[in-house]
RNA sequence: GCGCUUGUAGCUCAACCGGAUAGAGCACCAGCCUUCUAAGCUGGGGGUCGCAGGUUCGAGCCCUGCCAAGCGCACCA
């Protein structure tokens, strides 16, 4: 309908250009909005206001010209001038009713669009280091990323969901070393665990696995392990050494490699990586998140991609050496300062593999590359964009979406999430406590760049405070009505219902139909603006209108004509709720 | 100190890429179950859109300054 009105308006404006009411060179963008107020008709347009200046006519007068030039259309009942120069359209109610037929015909395809057809788009999200289980912070990225990916797919894009696995680098070495040290404890060695090591219980479990499989094959004495290692930093109550925790752990990593030898070290390393990665995959899958690709950072190092990326930067003249390190001159490309890509000790920085990774993304031919990062990484954006430009690409291809942290609450009490305290909540714990549906809905209910307070108590509550159940309940109610219909021994005649749609004249019904008709626009806008929260907002609204309708009118009336028409309407509601919740990977219970 | 993000009802948040009288939920108050699930519905009070300027027909949205909060400013990831 919007498209039709746009066509009518542009026709009128072309006409006016020919009649020299409007200058021929004036550029117009016709935007049709749905009227908020029913008194303003169904649709509204403000072109007259924006064109007034170039036309050198008062807006209202110009609007009158446009209306006069507007071709007739049987769908448009009335056109009114209002306010400073708005053009309001009143559409034939019969046209609105058609959406019910459309929904019944298209079922799960209703709301899909083709704006993205033929375009490849990549969404990389979560990408947490495989050094421990996912926590609730990652959950938001997971829910947001997968909802966004689903939305993009719904509007036609060929979507590629990807998880970048940081399976190389110092953090992984720290994990491997932590595992090994826990293993040594298992073997009966005694020592003070490094303050910078990974202390989670899962590290012990991995150590246990290795111990059970290989016995004491990897054992070395604590004295041997710690000999000559720089002092650790520790608190007064633990002995009060004033050492350097970074130097301490780095020393231990080197020692682990020396004592174990490369093969054995890699074995321990891989055992940790594989176990944690399997756990993450399992966790995400249970959360309803599936990827097309798990991309390994290590692969970029072993297959020469990093070297290749650096040599491309070098030949483009963006690399230089200073103080023994290799620098990328990103400040020439919008970054605030230059960045090291190869450290003095010869090791690549994380940034170096990130450059290679984005080069790889570009080479795979995506029209759009979307990275979803935690908000704390925002400072990283300029350097990655700089890298893309240095590689000769348009940095507009990359969109970095930031996800703010969620603060966890249990009622009025804030839940501490510090890793140290050990009481941080994992995504798995969250799932178990509040369930997938509530968790996912809460995560995407708000704009991603907005902080959210996640109240565990609210998410689990089965009251009207909980928006998830509110929407699901609407769905369940429709199912319940259909069950009642069956129990009464009545049969629904969908075809008759379609023939009787004109019987739907109640204001509740008209409002509901209008909301149903908006669904495809909501999907398109949510996808285009990368804002799944618009969909959750819409679903709450649709549910609300349904509940209102439910309370105001009986569906299972004796008048079969009216009954069938109403049942067709509520079945359309059911379908749209299912489609919308489906995009968010939230279940649709038939009874609650 | 510099940069990014954000300031909307008591609380948590929306507002259709500049439009008409800024909307929901929660909380609070008053009502609705012999009728398809009350996890629901109806009504009510509640706002200088952080502050001050500017841009224009028109600003919560755009620009500038200030105030406040969060996050960044490594040869860490």
């Amino acid at each position: 309908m919007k498209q039709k009105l746009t066509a009518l308006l542009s026709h009128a404006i072309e006409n006016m250009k020919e009649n020299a009411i409007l200058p021929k060179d004036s550029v117009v963008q016709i935007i049709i909005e749905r009227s908020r107020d029913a008194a303003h008709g169904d649709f509204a347009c403000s072109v007259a206001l924006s064109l007034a200046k170039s036309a050198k006519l008062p807006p209202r007068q110009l609007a009158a010209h446009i209306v006069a030039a507007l071709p007739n259309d049987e769908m448009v009942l009335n056109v009114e001038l209002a306010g400073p120069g708005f053009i309001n359209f009143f559409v034939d109610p019969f046209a609105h009713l058609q959406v019910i037929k459309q929904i019944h015909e298209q079922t799960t395809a209703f709301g899909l669009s083709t704006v993205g057809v033929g375009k490849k788009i990549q969404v990389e999200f979560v990408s947490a280091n495989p050094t421990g289980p996912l926590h609730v912070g990652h959950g938001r990225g997971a829910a947001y990323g997968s909802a966004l990916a689903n939305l993009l797919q719904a509007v036609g894009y060929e979507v590629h969901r990807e998880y970048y696995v940081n399976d190389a680098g110092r953090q992984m070495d720290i994990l491997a070393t932590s595992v090994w040290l826990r293993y040594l404890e298992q073997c009966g060695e005694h020592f003070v665990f490094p303050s910078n090591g990974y202390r989670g219980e899962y590290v012990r479990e991995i150590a246990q696995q290795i111990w059970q499989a290989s016995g004491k094959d990897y054992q070395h004495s604590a004295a041997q392990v710690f000999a000559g290692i720089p002092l650790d930093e520790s608190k007064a109550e633990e002995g009060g050494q004033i050492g350097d925790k970074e130097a301490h752990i780095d020393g231990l990593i080197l020692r682990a490699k020396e004592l174990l030898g490369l093969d054995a070290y890699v074995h321990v390393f891989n055992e940790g990586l594989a176990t944690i990665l399997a756990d993450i995959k399992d966790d995400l899958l249970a959360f309803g998140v599936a990827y097309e690709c798990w991309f390994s950072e290590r692969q970029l190092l072993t297959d020469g991609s990093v070297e290749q990326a650096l040599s491309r930067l070098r030949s483009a003249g963006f690399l230089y050496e200073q103080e023994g390190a290799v620098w990328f001159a990103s400040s020439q490309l919008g970054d605030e300062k230059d960045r090291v890509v190869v450290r003095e000790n010869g090791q690549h920085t994380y940034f170096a593999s990130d450059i290679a990774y984005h080069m790889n993304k570009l080479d795979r031919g995506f029209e759009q590359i979307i990275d979803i990062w935690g908000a704390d990484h925002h400072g990283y954006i300029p350097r990655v964009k700089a890298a893309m430009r240095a590689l000769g690409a348009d940095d507009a291809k990359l969109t970095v979406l930031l996800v703010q942290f969620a603060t966890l609450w249990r009622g009025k009490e804030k839940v501490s999430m510090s890793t140290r305290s050990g009481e941080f909540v994992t995504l798995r714990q969250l799932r178990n406590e509040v369930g997938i549906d509530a968790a996912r809905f809460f995560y995407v209910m708000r704009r991603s760049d907005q902080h959210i307070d996640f109240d565990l108590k609210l998410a689990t509550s089965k009251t009207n405070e909980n928006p998830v159940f509110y929407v699901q309940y609407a769905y369940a109610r429709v199912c319940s009505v259909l069950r009642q219909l069956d129990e009464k021994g009545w049969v629904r005649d969908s075809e008759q219902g379609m023939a009787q749609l004109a019987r739907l004249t109640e204001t509740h019904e008209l409002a509901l139909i209008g909301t149903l008709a908006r669904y495809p626009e909501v999907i398109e806008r949510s996808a285009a603006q990368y804002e799944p929260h618009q969909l959750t907002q819409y679903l709450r609204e649709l549910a609300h209108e349904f509940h209102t309708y439910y309370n105001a009118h009986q569906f299972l009336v004796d008048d079969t004509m009216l009954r069938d028409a109403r049942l067709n309407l509520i079945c359309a509601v059911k379908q749209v709720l299912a489609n919308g919740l489906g995009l968010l990977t939230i279940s649709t219970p038939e009874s609650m």
Side-chain angles (χ1 to χ4, degrees):
Chain A
M1 200 65 224
K2 271 191 178 180
Q3 285 165 354
K4 177 162 231 162
L5 294 175
T6 309
L8 293 177
L9 281 164
S10 65
H11 191 277
I13 285 167
E14 284 311 312
N15 194 290
M16 288 162 69
K17 283 185 186 172
E18 277 168 31
N19 295 328
I21 303 172
L22 276 174
K24 285 208 159 45
D25 56 346
S26 57
V27 191
V28 272
Q29 201 190 354
I30 299 167
I31 297 165
I32 306 280
E33 284 191 355
R34 286 187 179 270
S35 303
R36 287 178 188 150
D37 189 336
H40 298 143
D42 301 298
F43 296 92
C45 184
S46 60
V47 264
L49 292 161
S50 49
L51 266 178
K53 197 161 207 180
S54 60
K56 290 175 185 147
L57 279 173
R60 267 197 84 103
Q61 203 177 325
L62 178 62
H65 274 113
I66 295 174
V67 172
L70 219 49
N72 283 322
D73 189 287
E74 53 183 7
M75 293 292 216
V76 181
L77 286 190
N78 193 19
V79 183
E80 280 181 5
L81 277 185
F86 289 100
I87 302 170
N88 293 333
F89 295 90
F90 292 77
V91 175
D92 186 346
F94 183 73
H96 289 302
L97 295 173
Q98 299 314 303
V99 75
I100 297 177
K101 275 188 195 165
Q102 221 180 56
I103 293 168
H104 278 260
E105 282 162 17
Q106 300 180 356
T107 62
T108 53
F110 178 73
L112 300 186
S113 144
T114 54
V115 292
V117 163
K119 291 181 206 153
K120 277 173 72 181
I121 190 164
Q122 187 204 36
V123 185
E124 182 218 321
F125 59 107
V126 185
S127 299
N129 282 347
T131 52
L134 298 175
H135 57 73
V136 289
H138 300 123
R140 191 173 186 191
Y144 175 69
S146 74
L148 176 60
N150 292 345
L151 278 167
L152 291 169
Q153 198 161 24
V155 298
Y157 285 98
E158 183 188 327
V159 179
H160 203 83
R161 299 162 182 83
E162 193 153 310
Y163 187 117
Y164 181 53
V165 184
N166 290 113
D167 50 8
R170 197 170 87 103
Q171 292 306 315
M172 285 307 295
D173 280 322
I174 294 176
L175 176 76
T177 303
S178 301
V179 168
W180 184 53
L181 291 173
R182 288 302 190 203
Y183 161 86
L184 292 179
E185 286 179 344
Q186 196 81 46
C187 295
E189 299 293 334
H190 292 283
F191 51 85
V192 179
F193 195 80
S195 57
N196 225 13
Y198 285 99
R199 297 166 157 272
E201 194 49 40
Y202 60 93
V203 177
R204 280 203 171 88
E205 285 166 17
I206 297 165
Q208 177 88 26
Q209 279 174 34
I210 295 173
W211 188 76
Q212 277 167 357
S214 311
K216 297 190 171 183
D217 291 359
Y218 304 111
Q219 185 175 4
H220 292 268
S221 74
Q224 225 182 335
V225 173
F226 284 87
I229 300 290
L231 284 183
D232 196 3
E233 182 183 303
S234 62
K235 295 197 180 107
E237 61 266 28
E238 294 165 10
Q241 296 170 351
I242 314 285
D244 182 342
K245 58 182 180 179
E246 304 294 344
H248 182 67
I249 195 80
D250 280 336
L252 286 171
I253 292 168
L254 276 177
R255 182 61 46 84
K257 290 179 179 172
E258 281 165 26
L259 291 176
L260 286 169
L262 195 59
D263 285 353
Y265 178 79
V266 167
H267 175 77
V268 173
F269 184 105
N270 283 344
E271 197 70 19
L273 171 64
T275 305
I276 291 173
L277 202 54
D279 176 75
I280 289 175
K281 285 185 184 182
D282 174 75
D283 204 6
L284 286 172
L285 210 58
F287 196 50
V289 182
Y291 289 91
E292 270 78 33
C293 176
W294 293 74
F295 196 96
S296 158
E297 178 189 5
R298 206 151 35 148
Q299 185 201 316
L300 289 171
L301 290 160
T302 53
D303 74 3
S305 295
V306 173
E307 282 312 319
Q308 197 191 329
L310 292 185
S311 70
R312 270 175 70 175
L313 293 185
R314 187 172 287 115
S315 52
F318 287 108
L319 289 193
Y320 64 90
E321 281 193 35
Q322 194 180 314
E323 294 162 13
V326 180
W327 296 72
F328 168 45
S330 55
S331 63
Q332 291 174 27
L333 298 164
D335 196 7
E336 53 184 12
K337 58 185 181 183
D338 293 349
R339 309 290 173 178
V340 170
V341 286
V342 183
R343 288 189 266 167
E344 207 175 344
N345 64 10
Q347 289 211 307
H348 296 285
T349 58
Y350 172 86
F351 181 44
S353 32
D354 229 16
I355 295 170
Y357 183 38
H358 283 84
M359 179 180 78
N360 178 288
K361 291 185 180 194
L362 288 168
D363 290 346
R364 278 188 275 165
F366 297 111
E367 259 86 3
Q368 249 323 293
I369 296 166
I370 296 178
D371 288 5
I372 297 174
W373 297 349
D376 55 334
H377 285 66
H378 65 78
Y380 215 76
I381 298 172
R383 76 188 73 167
V384 175
K385 291 218 166 205
M388 296 193 67
R389 283 165 64 191
L391 291 167
D394 178 3
D395 67 6
K397 274 197 171 184
L398 172 69
T399 305
V400 180
L401 299 172
L402 298 175
V403 175
Q404 287 285 354
F405 289 121
T407 317
L408 271 192
W409 298 78
R410 203 179 297 273
K412 297 216 160 161
E413 206 179 322
K414 194 168 177 175
V415 179
S416 166
M417 289 212 295
S418 67
T419 319
R420 281 285 161 76
S421 64
E423 56 177 318
F424 74 103
V425 181
T426 62
L427 178 59
R428 184 170 275 115
Q429 285 172 302
L430 179 72
R431 275 199 286 111
N432 293 337
E433 185 165 336
V434 313
I436 303 170
D437 292 340
R440 290 192 64 119
F441 198 90
F442 268 69
Y443 274 132
V444 292
M445 202 163 59
R446 308 298 182 201
R447 294 175 59 105
S448 62
D449 54 4
Q450 201 86 32
H451 284 99
I452 49 170
D453 287 322
F454 197 128
D455 187 343
L456 292 166
K457 215 160 124 190
L458 180 58
T460 42
S461 75
K462 301 195 169 188
T463 66
N464 55 355
E465 294 170 39
N466 195 322
V468 193
F469 293 127
Y470 184 80
V471 176
Q472 289 180 321
Y473 184 42
Y475 182 90
R477 266 186 158 172
V478 178
C479 296
S480 173
V481 171
L482 295 176
R483 281 194 299 270
Q484 290 288 323
L485 176 82
D486 200 42
E487 280 167 27
K488 283 178 192 266
W490 290 348
V491 176
R492 171 179 164 225
D493 185 339
S494 174
E495 211 167 307
Q496 170 167 271
M498 290 305 172
Q500 297 297 323
L501 289 180
R503 296 285 303 275
L504 302 175
T505 54
E506 301 288 346
T507 50
H508 291 101
E509 291 165 344
L510 299 178
L512 205 42
I513 289 164
T515 302
L516 288 173
R518 256 174 55 216
Y519 178 72
E521 292 163 27
V522 171
I523 297 303
E524 268 190 27
R525 212 171 63 230
S526 302
Q529 298 180 205
Y530 306 145
E531 292 184 347
H533 80 271
Q534 293 192 21
L535 177 56
T536 62
Q537 208 79 16
Y538 169 85
L539 290 172
R540 295 173 75 172
E541 208 178 311
L542 179 60
H544 172 69
E545 272 168 7
F546 171 76
H547 288 309
T548 304
Y549 179 37
Y550 181 97
N551 273 275
H553 300 283
Q554 190 81 15
F555 309 144
L556 299 178
V557 290
D558 291 331
D559 179 346
T560 57
M561 307 269 189
L562 182 60
R563 187 208 306 156
D564 284 330
R566 287 185 171 171
L567 287 174
N568 279 4
L569 172 57
I570 66 168
C571 283
V573 172
K574 180 185 170 209
Q575 182 70 58
V576 171
L577 287 172
N579 291 1
L581 289 173
L583 288 173
L584 302 172
T585 322
I586 291 172
S587 71
T588 46
E590 305 212 335
S591 67
M592 293 176 73

